[in-house]
Amino acid sequence: MMNKFEEYKMHMSAIKELVKSDGDAMVQGFFETLFAEHKNLDMVLVYGYTPGFNDGDPCTHTQYSTLDGDEINDTVDLWDMLEVEDETGDELEEINSKLSREESQKIEFKIDAVDDLLERVYDTDFYLFAIRKEDGSVELTTGDYDCGY
């Protein structure tokens, strides 16, 4: 008979294998559901990192999400991703502008709920950019993120 610790180890091993084999599909499915539930959501950026220096405190993984166009553009080059010809900045103000504050908070809460999955799939020092395309599909772009310290 298996004790509870051995059962825990077995389940953790199964989760690691599932994430290894299907992690990208899980993340894609999460964001497709998120965008389907929130019709006014245009795009979102999630980034995670582990600082190399933290004033003597432990350096641990931290993860954030943002719906703000200016903040997203500070991390990824939205002009290239959106294929914008005239970089006036007006486009950034329009991003997610139809979301209410309450809906934005719900979206960020849902993303926070999958922090563990995102860290398991992408480890640390990553960004994930999710955008609703004109045809309604959701496209994910990932890359390296450097917090600068």
Side-chain angles (χ1 to χ4, degrees):
M1 184 169 163
M2 187 181 308
N3 68 36
K4 289 294 180 183
F5 178 71
E6 292 299 320
E7 188 177 337
Y8 166 80
K9 284 182 9 183
M10 179 189 72
H11 288 295
M12 289 305 297
S13 177
I15 288 170
K16 286 178 184 176
E17 285 302 312
L18 182 62
V19 168
K20 186 177 178 180
S21 65
D22 297 326
D24 288 329
M26 291 175 181
V27 173
Q28 181 74 37
F30 167 76
F31 280 99
E32 287 174 358
T33 300
L34 184 71
F35 278 77
E37 291 173 349
H38 300 278
K39 301 295 184 195
N40 291 323
L41 177 61
D42 301 319
M43 63 184 69
V44 64
L45 176 74
V46 180
Y47 57 101
Y49 62 90
T50 303
F53 176 76
N54 198 16
D55 290 330
D57 291 331
C59 295
T60 58
H61 178 78
T62 303
Q63 207 160 282
Y64 297 100
S65 62
T66 183
L67 306 174
D68 180 81
D70 285 321
E71 286 184 50
I72 294 171
N73 192 47
D74 285 345
T75 304
V76 297
D77 188 354
L78 276 180
W79 303 122
D80 285 343
M81 291 184 168
L82 299 177
E83 299 172 4
V84 173
E85 307 240 347
D86 181 23
E87 299 178 15
T88 62
D90 294 340
E91 295 85 355
L92 297 179
E93 292 178 14
E94 293 300 314
I95 294 170
N96 296 320
S97 64
K98 295 177 185 168
L99 292 173
S100 68
R101 181 179 175 96
E102 180 181 313
E103 189 173 14
S104 295
Q105 290 172 334
K106 287 179 182 179
I107 291 167
E108 290 185 351
F109 181 77
K110 289 176 183 179
I111 294 169
D112 288 347
V114 295
D115 276 0
D116 184 60
L117 173 64
L118 297 176
E119 184 180 0
R120 287 179 187 271
V121 173
Y122 302 111
D123 193 30
T124 193
D125 300 329
F126 72 89
Y127 74 83
L128 182 148
F129 174 68
I131 185 169
R132 183 189 314 270
K133 302 304 277 185
E134 287 184 19
D135 65 2
S137 65
V138 176
E139 180 179 277
L140 302 183
T141 303
T142 59
D144 295 331
Y145 176 78
D146 181 3
C147 71
Y149 58 96

